[in-house]
Amino acid sequence: MPIITCIEDLRAMAQRRVPRMFYDYVDGGSWTESTYQANQADFSAIKLRQRVARNIEQRSLGARRMGIDMAMPLAIAPTGLAGMIHADGEILAARAATAAGIRYTLSTVSICSLEEIAQAIAAPFWFQLYVMRDRGFVASLIDRAKAAGCDALVLTLDLQLSGQRHKDLKNGLSIPPRLTPSSLLNILGKPRWIKGMLSTRRHHFGNIMGHVKGVDDMRQLADWTYQQFDPRLSWDDIQWIKERWGGRLILKGILDVEDARLAADSGADALIVSNHGGRQLDGAPSSISMLPAIVEAVGERIEVWLDSGIRSGQDVIKSLALGAQGVMLGRAHLYGLGAMGEAGVAKALEIIAREMDLTLALCGHTDVQHLDHHILLPGSYPLP
Ligand code: FNR
């Protein structure tokens, strides 16, 4: 067993253990992947100020966000198909997140259902909503999230149409998968993954199958899902969703200052600066480069979170320094999941927490709640 010390180790292990079709689904970005790459490159360019002799013995990573006490200002980002990266993936990741004292966000297009997560973790989690053409189904999802004890609804706004990832098309990743001889051969070389998949009955979209009239098999599920993402989504929809839900509302996928103002006007509790991990508009700026301008425009009115490109505790600290109130982890947790299931997600969170703590300390600080741009080297970070 190799010694795992960083998220990159988990990524490499996941690459060995997860069939290429699903690994590439996690690891890819849209079209030229320029936005996907910029997300990480722009974090690297930001430099931290090393400070010394500042008594850093008592340190704290805890934070209260949106009225919720969190062990760290982090949450797990919603990721579709996590239950294909590892058998029962969403249940395992939700357990690891809950044990680490942070919220798990379940995707609309998860393999495990809302009810299964509620039963497995018996603690609050967040639910991510995609707006479907079938508004009756959207309403029923909102009601099910309430009944499952979710304490925030994360409404994703940046996927009215799906960005194209070349690898997914070439690998035949579709519903149901179109297995090529080469992808079949590749799957046969992943015995651990096969064993897991044979041990569970959860292989399709748990929130959808059996909950939509006329969607009872894979073919019907495929037809329904492809037609359902709603390109007509507008700010008016957000109002009725907000009213129907009645709880904490987080708007995900904001990358533009004007949209951030609309998000604040909508009365939502938080927004997430995100380009969907570089999976939607290739050519869009990195999330971190847009953060300062969005915080300046609306930070007084709404909690601003960020995702896209976070691979280390240093990235988290840089985001907080630039005004993010919290950060979501997408691929960083999926690499852990693919590598070692629940233990892998726990490991990913442990690595990030340790890196945050050490980075905070070596910058001469002791509390993540009191960070600002003064811990960054002037000239190295984006300005509003
Ligand atoms: C996602 N993301 C996503 N977002 C969402 O709102 N609903 C979803 O179902 C999914 N599905 C999904 C699958 C996979 C494999 C990935 C990698 C991402 C986007 C996700 O929530 C988050 O915005 C990004 O993952 C953040 O970027 P990093 O952390 O992966 O770089």
Side-chain angles (χ1 to χ4, degrees):
M1 182 80 163
I3 296 174
I4 296 194
T5 59
C6 57
I7 298 295
E8 171 56 20
D9 291 344
L10 291 169
R11 188 205 61 73
M13 188 183 272
Q15 188 168 25
R16 288 194 299 277
R17 294 188 169 176
V18 177
R20 187 178 57 223
M21 169 182 270
F22 296 112
Y23 173 79
D24 283 351
Y25 164 70
V26 170
D27 209 32
S30 56
W31 288 313
T32 68
E33 300 192 335
S34 72
T35 297
Y36 171 49
Q37 281 152 17
N39 281 336
Q40 278 174 264
D42 288 359
F43 270 114
S44 300
I46 299 170
K47 301 299 170 210
L48 295 158
R49 283 173 68 199
Q50 172 179 306
R51 301 296 308 279
V52 298
R54 284 168 60 93
N55 187 358
I56 46 172
E57 189 181 14
Q58 303 291 334
R59 299 183 302 281
S60 161
L61 296 183
R64 192 169 168 79
R65 296 291 182 254
M66 281 175 282
I68 303 172
D69 286 321
M70 305 180 180
M72 310 175 262
L74 296 182
I76 299 290
T79 55
L81 293 187
M84 297 308 290
I85 309 309
H86 190 288
D88 299 336
E90 293 92 358
I91 289 178
L92 304 185
R95 277 200 191 123
T98 305
I102 65 168
R103 289 294 190 269
Y104 179 74
T105 313
L106 185 73
S107 165
T108 293
V109 287
S110 56
I111 302 295
C112 304
S113 69
L114 271 157
E115 292 77 13
E116 287 167 334
I117 300 294
Q119 202 180 13
I121 65 170
F125 59 103
W126 292 351
F127 180 65
Q128 175 266 327
L129 183 69
Y130 277 134
V131 178
M132 306 287 189
R133 284 180 189 271
D134 180 347
R135 298 301 159 84
F137 178 65
V138 172
S140 80
L141 272 178
I142 294 172
D143 296 347
R144 286 169 60 198
K146 254 192 261 185
C150 293
D151 60 357
L153 187 73
V154 178
L155 176 58
T156 299
L157 299 175
D158 62 0
L159 203 131
Q160 286 170 266
L161 295 170
S162 193
Q164 178 180 312
R165 292 183 300 276
H166 298 310
K167 285 182 219 158
D168 289 353
L169 293 175
K170 290 180 174 132
N171 288 332
L173 186 87
S174 56
I175 330 164
R178 278 177 288 102
L179 287 181
T180 61
S182 132
S183 50
L184 192 60
L185 205 64
N186 180 267
I187 289 174
L188 291 176
K190 313 287 177 185
R192 188 187 294 261
W193 181 89
I194 294 175
K195 192 167 165 236
M197 286 301 161
L198 290 176
S199 73
T200 182
R201 57 187 164 74
R202 302 183 182 102
H203 300 128
H204 50 67
F205 292 144
N207 290 325
I208 299 171
M209 192 91 115
H211 292 277
V212 179
K213 211 159 162 253
V215 179
D216 299 309
D217 65 29
M218 274 310 228
R219 184 75 269 151
Q220 291 166 340
L221 179 66
D223 292 345
W224 187 85
T225 310
Y226 282 126
Q227 293 159 9
Q228 278 294 327
F229 284 88
D230 194 348
R232 299 164 310 174
L233 170 68
S234 77
W235 289 95
D236 293 336
D237 294 299
I238 293 163
Q239 281 316 312
W240 80 255
I241 290 169
K242 184 173 180 315
E243 273 157 38
R244 175 111 196 175
W245 168 246
R248 288 182 192 90
L249 181 67
I250 304 173
L251 301 180
K252 176 171 183 285
I254 304 293
L255 202 62
D256 187 274
V257 169
E258 229 167 287
D259 285 340
R261 289 204 178 94
L262 292 168
D265 292 345
S266 78
D269 299 276
L271 65 82
I272 306 175
V273 179
S274 170
N275 54 34
H276 216 101
R279 298 165 77 83
Q280 285 295 100
L281 179 63
D282 185 39
S286 66
S287 290
I288 192 67
S289 70
M290 292 309 297
L291 178 68
I294 290 179
V295 169
E296 183 174 87
V298 299
E300 306 264 287
R301 291 202 286 149
I302 184 169
E303 243 181 59
V304 176
W305 283 52
L306 171 136
D307 76 22
S308 300
I310 304 279
R311 298 292 182 275
S312 68
Q314 295 89 301
D315 296 340
V316 177
I317 295 292
K318 289 172 182 175
S319 306
L320 299 177
L322 286 176
Q325 299 279 301
V327 164
M328 279 195 153
L329 304 174
R331 294 179 184 85
H333 95 277
L334 287 178
Y335 295 147
L337 183 66
M340 297 191 294
E342 183 175 342
V345 179
K347 189 77 190 171
L349 294 176
E350 181 193 312
I351 288 168
I352 299 264
R354 184 164 167 70
E355 290 171 344
M356 281 172 70
D357 178 53
L358 269 175
T359 304
L360 185 72
L362 296 176
C363 288
H365 275 262
T366 55
D367 188 342
V368 283
Q369 301 203 83
H370 300 128
L371 292 178
D372 62 24
H373 66 272
H374 291 104
I375 69 159
L376 306 176
L377 204 66
S380 77
Y381 57 87
L383 296 168

